[in-house]
Amino acid sequence: MGFVLAQIDLAFDRREIDMGFLVTTLIFVVIGIIASLCTRICCNRGPSTNLFHLTLVITATVCCWMMWAIVYLAQMKPLIVPILSEGE
Amino acid sequence: MGEVRAGGGGCCPPMNLFRSESMQLVQLIIPMESAHVTVSYLGDLGLLQFKDLNADKSPFQRTYAAQIKKSGEMARRLRFFKDQMLKAGFSPKKSATQADINIDDLEVKLAELETELVEINANGGKLQRAYNELVEYKLVLQKASEFFHSALNSAAEQQSENASRQIGEESLDTPLLLEQEMSTDSSKQVKLGFITGLVPRQKSMAFERILFRATRGNVFLREAVVEDPVTDPISGEKVEKNVFVVFYSGERAKNKILKICEAFGANRYPFSEDLNKQDHMVTEVSGRLLELKTTIDIGLLQRDNLLQTIGDQFEQWEFLVRKEKSIYHTLNMLSLDVTKKCLVAEGWSPVFATKLIQDALQRASFDSNSQVGAIFQILQTKELPPTYFRTNKFTSPFQEIVDAYGVAKYQEANPTVYTIVTFPFLFAVMFGDWGHGICLLLATLYLIIREKKFSSQKLGDIMEMMFGGRYCILMMALFSIYTGLIYNEFFSVPFELFAPSAYACRDLSCRDSTTMGLIKVRDTYPFGVDPVWHGSRSELPFLNSLKMKMSILLGVAQMNLGIILSYCNAKFFRNGVNVWFQFIPQMIFLNSLFGYLSLLILVKWSTGSQADLYHVMIYMFLSPTDDLGENQLFPGQKTLQLALLLLALVAVPWMLIPKPFILKKQHQDRHRGHSYTPLESSEDNFQLGANHDSHDHEEFEFSEVFVHQLIHTIEFVLGSVSNTASYLRLWALSLAHSELSSVFYDKLLMLAWGYNNVIILIVGIIVFICATVGVLLVMETLSAFLHALRLHWVEFQNKFYEGDGYKFYPFSFAWTGDEDE
């Protein structure tokens, strides 16, 4: 997953950075941090369990972020536009 | 070596569930007198898997064969009680009172109860049989007397008619001879014998035919149908029967008939012609029937009382007997010391349980008043320990998903850690609809809230499975809601939840919105798919392109994770060869082809380029030196492509060739070195001499290793193509799901709405709900589940997971509960 992150960074170095993308990514990061802090505070059961919980939270956050990022990027510079059907 | 493994190479700090628990082979030397208590305590603890040290002995040669036989007998008695209780319609109750009962007392008690119950049953059976016989007899009496009555009447009529005829002189047309015969007949009056009884209706035709043939027709059979089925006294089953009366002449015929009756299972009953006697018999039989009935009822009551008292304590007894049996089974696995005063046990236990086991041993020797305590020591071994993960109710369904593919090798990286998230996530990618997600969430919340109740009762197969995986379903539902929000589908209906749509008409009149399409006027829709796409003519091309690319991106990411885990394994087992000649070339190969494809997708999206990615990828192989022309996405693309292609080509022999040679060299080095090193500790070698030898002189088959590596390489190279293609199932299934749900919405709900008729609307809603639940929530959930399962088992786990370990089955009483079901 880190690989994809790097790839996206690469893509941004070349073009102007979309603010919306950055802001929402930041929100994801913040949510991820809050969630990992919550698990740390709520169920603190030794270092190895904490690491396990942290891994879960990070994996979940990365998965959700990836999904959102893919959909967002796909709509950023659309090649096709919505064409309404005749009925409407 | 076990120690080395347990210590592990430090690739990352220890994480729960990522590696199986480190195990140790322990040896216990238990004094004979405290053996039973010790094993019982260890079973309560449930953290020790005993090894069978008497594998070469048959069950009868073992030390505690007699005790096992005894507890087997007790278990048989309990099963007998259970059968009886089931027959009588009792169910064993959970007794709250835990009366402390000795196993020896229990044995005596069970035997007593059994003899009592058998006696009651035998008496009851006898009485029941007598009762049934009487019932049959009564029927015979009724039917036969009817028959005789009518026969007598008709005979009397005939006689009177004959008499009147004789009186009234012969008319011309009456045959003379016949009349004479008849009259002589009545005067002679041959005495006919008869037999009465009951024959099963199915056999009655055959019975009649055989009688006829055997007696050459010199028999007269009369049958009367008994309307209600009769209980057969011998078999005790309800059978439909006929009452019969056979008339015969002569002793020989009688014998034949008796034999035939026996053969046909026809019960015979005495019957007298005398009317008075008949009446007498009927009253007598009725009286006795009544008497028997009350006796039987009393017997039944007595039996019920007995069963009730058994049922009250049945569970407890059963548990005790099972426990006893499993203790002796375990004791049989221990080997007898030379002095015959001690038992030697060997087994696997997790390292963390050392203290607990020692405590249990101490308590046992104290409680059994043994003079010598048990000895606990850790053995060195090269054997591969069992795999043990400490799971809880949340992680166990995911661990089971992984275990269903193969149990992890000892201390191998456990995919469950990631599967807990990625499995529901990939499921949700295919099941993205937040309406359906909420339905799933409600269903699983019901299971979770009533967890206590459900876990105590027995559920059906499917329900059991759903209940076991309730937390997995919960995660699936949560992720479905998330991906549903991303896809912007609520039962296929989009909502403008996060911002107004980014698209608008080109001008005020909105004339060309159906030909040229809308234009993007605002920032991109911030979260998920823009609602304007729904129902538009370009929806499918857009969603297909999006979902297909998304599948590839997610797939490449997950496969990379798999390869990284193989690095963790190599690091953990200190296997440098696997890092340099497996992990690195694999990474290079996958990413120079499909990582590059992902990069192209992202670049295309962020630049809005028109380049054809298929064309780029295909011509990267076919003619890598050609100019890219309009398909160029970024400067220097051609050079990069050439470099990547070369890297990919180099990675294949890199994976294939060096590893077998290095393994061969390592083997030779180890072998040579071994012959010079002095024996480290003679004690160790003495203890596991046999084991050591077999391991160290293992032959190194170079050709085998090479072929293995060849297969592995081919599998990876071809697999990286086919696995990436396999992730396209994410696209296919999510497309199918959204199309199906939109068809149900448009064609059922909207169509019904259009009629402006309440009844049609209600029917439409009902059909819509049924279709949604049946097809989308049940079938689609199953298919998405299976596809997510496949993606994890094949595409993800084949990158790093060996899965050839064996599970840790500790000796525990908690497991004996549903052993024999």
Side-chain angles (χ1 to χ4, degrees):
Chain A
M1 305 226 175
F3 180 75
V4 177
L5 250 169
Q7 284 170 355
I8 290 167
D9 281 349
L10 218 155
F12 283 127
D13 289 344
R14 296 170 187 287
R15 298 283 147 175
E16 50 169 332
I17 295 169
D18 189 294
M19 274 316 283
F21 186 83
L22 267 192
V23 169
T24 319
T25 303
L26 210 67
I27 293 174
F28 269 100
V29 172
V30 169
I31 291 174
I33 290 172
I34 292 173
S36 35
L37 283 180
C38 281
T39 52
R40 182 61 195 267
I41 292 162
C42 293
C43 30
N44 187 357
R45 300 207 193 105
S48 76
T49 314
N50 286 343
L51 184 65
F52 171 60
H53 290 158
L54 187 67
T55 312
L56 288 189
V57 170
I58 289 175
T59 321
T61 318
V62 167
C63 282
C64 291
W65 173 80
M66 263 180 83
M67 178 106 183
W68 166 82
I70 288 165
V71 172
Y72 188 88
L73 283 178
Q75 296 182 107
M76 215 162 64
K77 302 239 165 74
L79 292 179
I80 47 174
V81 288
I83 304 167
L84 301 186
S85 21
E86 302 286 342
E88 288 174 51
Chain B
M1 185 145 169
E3 281 297 284
V4 173
R5 278 220 205 88
C11 103
C12 23
M15 176 175 14
N16 250 8
L17 215 64
F18 192 57
R19 308 266 169 210
S20 61
E21 295 293 333
S22 45
M23 307 294 272
Q24 57 193 6
L25 186 65
V26 298
Q27 188 182 46
L28 309 177
I29 300 171
I30 311 164
M32 210 57 163
E33 65 267 23
S34 65
H36 187 273
V37 186
T38 309
V39 171
S40 157
Y41 283 2
L42 287 176
D44 286 331
L45 188 63
L47 281 171
L48 188 66
Q49 178 179 358
F50 286 94
K51 266 169 97 176
D52 193 354
L53 299 178
N54 300 321
D56 50 334
K57 283 187 187 166
S58 78
F60 306 106
Q61 292 171 322
R62 298 189 180 204
T63 329
Y64 291 95
Q67 280 87 339
I68 286 194
K69 215 170 137 195
K70 226 158 75 178
S71 42
E73 179 69 15
M74 277 154 78
R76 185 196 61 73
R77 285 193 179 120
L78 285 175
R79 272 200 303 280
F80 170 69
F81 293 150
K82 197 171 186 179
D83 276 355
Q84 292 294 320
M85 280 193 284
L86 275 182
K87 263 189 200 162
F90 286 113
S91 59
K93 273 181 285 178
K94 274 218 155 61
S95 56
T97 52
Q98 284 287 324
D100 222 16
I101 191 162
N102 190 337
I103 196 79
D104 297 320
D105 297 345
L106 182 62
E107 196 189 350
V108 176
K109 193 163 183 185
L110 286 183
E112 274 171 10
L113 282 173
E114 191 195 32
T115 41
E116 197 177 341
L117 194 59
V118 165
E119 204 172 309
I120 291 177
N121 276 350
N123 286 339
K126 259 186 226 159
L127 288 175
Q128 195 65 43
R129 189 172 163 171
Y131 179 77
N132 287 337
E133 265 172 3
L134 280 178
V135 169
E136 282 200 340
Y137 190 19
K138 198 175 170 189
L139 276 171
V140 169
L141 284 175
Q142 279 168 358
K143 294 283 177 189
S145 71
E146 268 170 35
F147 168 65
F148 272 89
H149 213 70
S150 63
L152 269 180
N153 282 349
S154 63
E157 255 172 45
Q158 217 167 13
Q159 263 178 356
S160 61
E161 205 177 302
N162 279 349
S164 67
R165 282 223 183 125
Q166 271 172 354
I167 290 163
E169 285 312 310
E170 307 98 45
S171 60
L172 278 169
D173 48 347
T174 45
L176 287 162
L177 205 63
L178 184 80
E179 225 164 87
Q180 258 171 0
E181 256 175 26
M182 281 177 94
S183 52
T184 49
D185 232 325
S186 59
S187 63
K188 261 188 196 166
Q189 285 272 344
V190 179
K191 184 68 183 169
L192 287 175
F194 66 89
I195 294 172
T196 51
L198 277 159
V199 67
R201 192 169 301 158
Q202 282 175 325
K203 294 181 185 167
S204 67
M205 287 296 284
F207 180 63
E208 192 174 341
R209 219 170 295 136
I210 296 281
L211 275 181
F212 193 79
R213 277 189 204 150
T215 56
R216 293 163 204 273
N218 290 324
V219 72
F220 178 70
L221 181 83
R222 223 11 228 275
E223 280 184 271
V225 177
V226 181
E227 288 81 11
D228 301 322
V230 188
T231 319
D232 192 70
I234 294 155
S235 67
E237 283 165 21
K238 290 249 175 202
V239 189
E240 294 195 312
K241 285 190 171 186
N242 284 353
V243 170
F244 67 86
V245 185
V246 197
F247 294 93
Y248 57 88
S249 63
E251 199 62 24
R252 276 182 63 195
K254 183 184 176 185
N255 286 339
K256 272 184 193 166
I257 291 169
L258 286 181
K259 269 182 199 158
I260 291 168
C261 281
E262 229 156 81
F264 276 84
N267 305 329
R268 288 169 288 104
Y269 296 98
F271 184 80
S272 75
E273 272 177 285
D274 192 354
L275 275 175
N276 288 340
K277 256 189 186 168
Q278 276 178 29
D279 287 345
H280 185 67
M281 288 299 274
V282 169
T283 46
E284 194 185 309
V285 166
S286 305
R288 278 192 57 197
L289 269 178
L290 262 178
E291 227 169 78
L292 270 177
K293 183 90 190 138
T294 46
T295 327
I296 286 172
D297 282 349
I298 290 169
L300 276 179
L301 200 70
Q302 195 186 348
R303 194 191 67 165
D304 284 356
N305 283 338
L306 188 67
L307 285 177
Q308 190 88 49
T309 49
I310 293 173
D312 284 346
Q313 284 173 304
F314 184 79
E315 294 257 315
Q316 197 192 341
W317 292 348
E318 198 177 29
F319 180 73
L320 206 65
V321 168
R322 276 198 185 146
K323 192 170 158 179
E324 198 67 12
K325 205 174 169 187
S326 64
I327 286 175
Y328 282 119
H329 263 297
T330 310
L331 282 173
N332 264 344
M333 289 199 230
L334 313 189
S335 72
L336 213 56
D337 186 63
V338 199
T339 55
K340 299 223 167 191
K341 278 179 186 157
C342 290
L343 283 168
V344 180
E346 271 179 33
W348 294 105
S349 83
V351 173
F352 72 83
T354 312
K355 189 90 188 65
L356 295 170
I357 291 174
Q358 278 168 335
D359 276 355
L361 292 180
Q362 235 161 28
R363 264 190 299 135
S365 59
F366 181 77
D367 286 357
S368 59
N369 295 325
S370 160
Q371 277 129 355
V372 216
I375 298 166
F376 175 92
Q377 60 184 8
I378 295 162
L379 298 180
Q380 299 294 318
T381 181
K382 285 199 150 186
E383 229 180 305
L384 203 65
T387 308
Y388 175 45
F389 292 110
R390 272 193 287 177
T391 55
N392 53 27
K393 63 186 175 183
F394 179 77
T395 51
S396 69
F398 298 99
Q399 186 62 50
E400 265 164 44
I401 284 174
V402 172
D403 282 348
Y405 175 80
V407 176
K409 205 170 75 180
Y410 177 62
Q411 297 233 308
E412 182 181 21
N414 184 9
T416 309
V417 173
Y418 296 97
T419 304
I420 289 173
V421 173
T422 54
F423 181 83
F425 175 68
L426 287 190
F427 168 86
V429 169
M430 294 180 264
F431 197 77
D433 187 315
W434 59 285
H436 299 151
I438 288 173
C439 293
L440 215 56
L441 181 69
L442 292 178
T444 187
L445 278 182
Y446 172 74
L447 286 180
I448 289 172
I449 288 167
R450 318 201 71 184
E451 195 172 69
K452 283 239 169 65
K453 184 170 164 267
F454 280 125
S455 58
S456 61
Q457 73 192 42
K458 254 204 152 66
L459 305 161
D461 268 353
I462 292 172
M463 196 62 191
E464 184 96 56
M465 219 151 64
M466 289 243 315
F467 181 68
R470 60 197 181 279
Y471 287 100
C472 183
I473 301 175
L474 174 76
M475 292 291 279
M476 279 155 46
L478 290 177
F479 274 107
S480 298
I481 293 171
Y482 177 79
T483 53
L485 287 171
I486 290 269
Y487 289 148
N488 209 342
E489 283 185 14
F490 176 81
F491 295 105
S492 88
V493 184
F495 285 98
E496 277 190 17
L497 283 179
F498 300 98
S501 167
Y503 295 88
C505 298
R506 283 159 202 266
D507 47 29
L508 285 173
S509 60
C510 235
R511 229 173 297 123
D512 47 5
S513 67
T514 54
T515 50
M516 298 278 289
L518 305 172
I519 194 167
K520 194 175 169 191
V521 292
R522 283 179 215 97
D523 282 343
T524 315
Y525 191 70
F527 192 85
V529 177
D530 202 313
V532 80
W533 288 104
H534 183 78
S536 69
R537 278 197 283 155
S538 48
E539 182 192 7
L540 270 186
F542 170 73
L543 280 184
N544 279 346
S545 142
L546 164 66
K547 286 181 175 173
M548 183 163 51
K549 285 167 183 161
M550 179 165 69
S551 312
I552 289 175
L553 289 176
L554 294 177
V556 170
Q558 199 185 19
M559 286 192 288
N560 270 304
L561 177 66
I563 301 179
I564 290 169
L565 286 177
S566 85
Y567 169 78
C568 287
N569 270 342
K571 259 306 201 209
F572 184 79
F573 294 118
R574 300 228 170 96
N575 193 341
V577 182
N578 274 358
V579 176
W580 289 104
F581 302 102
Q582 196 149 312
F583 165 69
I584 290 178
Q586 280 186 354
M587 250 349 220
I588 288 174
F589 185 82
L590 183 71
N591 287 317
S592 60
L593 300 183
F594 295 102
Y596 178 60
L597 175 62
S598 315
L599 179 80
L600 286 183
I601 291 172
L602 292 178
V603 171
K604 186 181 166 173
W605 274 342
S606 51
T607 57
S609 156
Q610 301 262 2
D612 184 359
L613 296 187
Y614 301 111
H615 193 272
V616 174
M617 283 309 285
I618 289 168
Y619 280 89
M620 182 175 160
F621 294 100
L622 292 185
S623 49
T625 49
D626 277 10
D627 210 33
L628 285 159
E630 59 180 11
N631 282 329
Q632 177 154 342
L633 281 149
F634 51 89
Q637 191 181 356
K638 203 173 90 182
T639 336
L640 180 65
Q641 285 191 6
L642 267 173
L644 288 176
L645 194 62
L646 275 177
L647 274 175
L649 287 181
V650 168
V652 177
W654 187 355
M655 264 183 263
L656 173 63
I657 297 166
K659 196 181 159 188
F661 286 100
I662 291 172
L663 285 180
K664 188 181 180 183
K665 189 158 176 300
Q666 277 182 350
H667 181 79
Q668 280 169 348
D669 284 354
R670 206 185 308 140
H671 213 69
R672 200 179 304 129
H674 199 79
S675 53
Y676 290 118
T677 47
L679 295 170
E680 283 164 31
S681 62
S682 52
E683 219 177 304
D684 262 16
N685 270 4
F686 174 70
Q687 271 181 348
L688 1 114
N691 245 342
H692 247 262
D693 280 8
S694 66
H695 241 271
D696 273 4
H697 296 294
E698 204 175 80
E699 287 296 310
F700 186 81
E701 287 270 351
F702 181 74
S703 58
E704 206 173 285
V705 174
F706 193 80
V707 167
H708 180 82
Q709 189 63 22
L710 185 71
I711 292 171
H712 203 80
T713 308
I714 292 174
E715 198 197 336
F716 183 81
V717 170
L718 296 183
S720 63
V721 181
S722 66
N723 290 351
T724 310
S726 184
Y727 275 97
L728 289 178
R729 71 185 68 235
L730 292 175
W731 160 41
L733 266 104
S734 82
L735 185 75
H737 186 86
S738 76
E739 285 300 304
L740 263 178
S741 59
S742 81
V743 163
F744 286 150
Y745 180 78
D746 288 341
K747 298 288 174 224
L748 288 172
L749 213 55
M750 286 298 109
L751 203 71
W753 181 261
Y755 278 104
N756 271 331
N757 183 328
V758 178
I759 298 167
I760 292 181
L761 184 64
I762 290 171
V763 171
I765 288 174
I766 290 171
V767 176
F768 173 74
I769 289 172
C770 290
T772 303
V773 170
V775 177
L776 293 175
L777 288 179
V778 176
M779 305 270 285
E780 279 279 297
T781 308
L782 270 180
S783 77
F785 185 93
L786 288 179
H787 282 280
L789 201 64
R790 188 223 139 92
L791 285 179
H792 279 85
W793 280 354
V794 181
E795 275 76 28
F796 177 51
Q797 291 182 9
N798 79 358
K799 300 286 181 292
F800 64 97
Y801 191 59
E802 307 240 0
D804 56 355
Y806 63 103
K807 241 185 179 160
F808 175 58
Y809 282 113
F811 168 65
S812 160
F813 296 132
W815 294 28
T816 43
D818 38 38
E819 196 177 51
D820 61 352
E821 244 78 42

